[in-house]
Each structure stands twice: as C-alpha cells, then as structure tokens.
Amino acid sequence: MQVQIGDLRAGLEDGERVDAEERVRFVMRRLAQRVNRADIHLSDVNGPRGGIDKRCQITLKTDRNGVLVIRTLAGDWRSALDEALQRSVRLLTRAWQRRSDPAVLREGKRRVLGRVAAMSQHSN
C-alpha cells in the first residue's frame, strides 16, 4: 500500500509527517491488501486562530470498492488522523463483509424485492 501525506497550510514538521505515515501503516496493516493507495491531507481550516479546525481527509483507492473519501475535524492533528483512520477501517471492513457474506446479500435482495412488491401494490 502506498501512503502519501500532504499538508495544506498545516505546517507539519518532518517528524510529525513520519509519525502520521507510521500511524496509517499500523492501523491499515490488516486491510493493506485491499487498499492500493492512501492519500492523507491535513489542513488547518482557520489558520492561527485556534479551535476545532484541524481537518484530515483520507482518500483510499481500492480495487473492489473504488475510491473512498473520509473527512474529519478535530482540535489537534493526532485526533483528526486517528478518527479518520477509525472511520476508514470501519467503512472498509463493513464493505468487505457485505461482499463476502451471502446471508447479508440475500437479506439485501429480500429488502429490495419487498420494496418493489410494496410499490407495485400501491400503484394498483
């Protein structure tokens, strides 16, 4: 998995950039086979004024699920990155489970078929 860290007006130091890349690799280690590339963009929304203004956007490029984009806001870089990574793992795991669990697929088809049947009854 390729990891690209970008900071837009964030002012990250080299050590922080390395820490962020290591954190991404550690959290995504189990899903690395499913993710070809992870682009992480960190930005400071309102500059030096402070507040909950640190934005983290993670763009994951996958073979099966296409491109997934996750955005978070937090008071500091580490929290914004950690929250975005948690949401990324949850989203990828859920998508993977949906594709691999036939019971979930059957249930989804039943719901769709049930809605179609209900719609046809209302239209008559």
Side-chain angles (χ1 to χ4, degrees), residues 5-24:
I5 307 281
D7 62 334
L8 306 170
R9 301 177 308 215
L12 287 181
E13 297 177 8
D14 289 336
E16 292 173 319
R17 188 182 299 268
V18 170
D19 289 344
E21 184 173 342
E22 288 175 358
R23 183 74 183 138
V24 170

Side-chain angles (χ1 to χ4, degrees), residues 9 11 16 26 33 46 52 59 71 76 85 98 116 122:
R9 301 177 308 215
E16 292 173 319
F26 178 77
Q33 294 174 348
N46 66 1
I52 299 177
T59 305
R71 291 185 189 113
D76 61 277
L85 287 170
R98 283 184 184 154
V116 170
H122 290 297

Side-chain angles (χ1 to χ4, degrees), residues 2 4 6 11-12 26 36 42 54 64 85 93 98 104-106 113:
Q2 293 179 337
Q4 178 78 32
L12 287 181
F26 178 77
N36 299 330
L42 301 167
K54 308 300 190 248
R64 293 183 139 193
L85 287 170
T93 303
R98 283 184 184 154
V104 172
L105 293 175
R106 283 193 305 271
L113 292 175

Side-chain angles (χ1 to χ4, degrees), residues 35 39 58-62 65-70 88 91-92 95:
V35 178
D39 293 326
I58 298 179
T59 305
L60 302 173
K61 295 181 176 127
T62 67
N65 299 314
V67 177
L68 306 170
V69 179
I70 296 92
S88 300
L91 183 67
L92 282 171

